């Protein structure tokens, strides 16, 4: 009985230390390469505005992240930014193919 308990204790210690050493670093957050913004026509002052951002990543080591926008009420302009997670500097294997992305940006009601 004593041998079994010791073996289980070593197994738990080994698995916890292995998991701790294999924790990857966090990806870098970059601005995504947006190629086109699509804005549907026909918005009224009581409609919710939604913008679609499209683009391509150079390989599969990128993932779409958060979006941000700034609205200038005086000039009626909207500055849109889409961010991405870049995993290329981490120890991962990436397929070298162009990877398309589409991201919806819900702005809300604008005049």
């Amino acid at each position: 009985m004593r041998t079994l308990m010791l073996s289980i204790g070593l197994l738990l210690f080994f698995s916890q230390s292995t998991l701790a050493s294999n924790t990857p670093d966090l990806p870098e957050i970059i601005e995504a390469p947006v190629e086109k913004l699509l804005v549907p026509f026909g918005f009224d002052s009581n409609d919710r505005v939604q913008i679609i951002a499209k683009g391509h990543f150079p390989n599969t080591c990128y993932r779409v992240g958060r979006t941000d926008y700034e609205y200038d009420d005086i000039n009626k302009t909207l500055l849109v930014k889409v961010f991405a997670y870049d995993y290329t500097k981490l120890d991962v294997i990436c397929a070298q193919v162009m990877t398309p992305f589409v991201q919806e940006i819900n702005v809300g009601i604008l005049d």
Side-chain angles (χ1 to χ4, degrees):
M1 187 71 154
R2 186 178 245 186
T3 307
L4 179 62
M5 292 174 74
L6 179 61
S7 299
I8 293 172
L10 286 175
L11 179 62
L12 290 176
F13 175 74
F14 177 73
S15 62
Q16 287 175 352
S17 64
T18 304
L19 289 175
S21 66
N22 289 338
T23 304
D25 293 334
L26 296 176
E28 182 180 355
I29 298 175
I30 62 166
E31 197 167 336
V34 175
E35 298 166 4
K36 186 181 277 190
L37 289 174
L38 304 170
V39 182
F41 292 106
F43 284 113
D44 295 333
S45 62
N46 62 347
D47 291 337
R48 296 188 185 276
V49 176
Q50 185 180 55
I51 298 171
I52 308 297
K54 295 175 77 175
H56 288 87
F57 292 127
N59 57 46
T60 59
C61 278
Y62 295 88
R63 298 283 184 266
V64 176
R66 68 178 177 85
T67 59
D68 195 12
Y69 63 88
E70 295 176 22
Y71 180 65
D72 183 359
D73 195 30
I74 297 169
N75 297 320
K76 305 292 185 203
T77 58
L78 190 66
L79 174 65
V80 176
K81 289 185 180 180
V82 179
F83 296 94
Y85 298 107
D86 179 3
Y87 292 89
T88 57
K89 294 186 173 105
L90 302 178
D91 191 19
V92 294
I93 298 172
C94 307
Q96 299 301 313
V97 295
M98 296 291 286
T99 308
F101 69 88
V102 176
Q103 181 70 17
E104 295 178 5
I105 304 155
N106 293 311
V107 178
I109 298 174
L110 298 176
D111 288 336

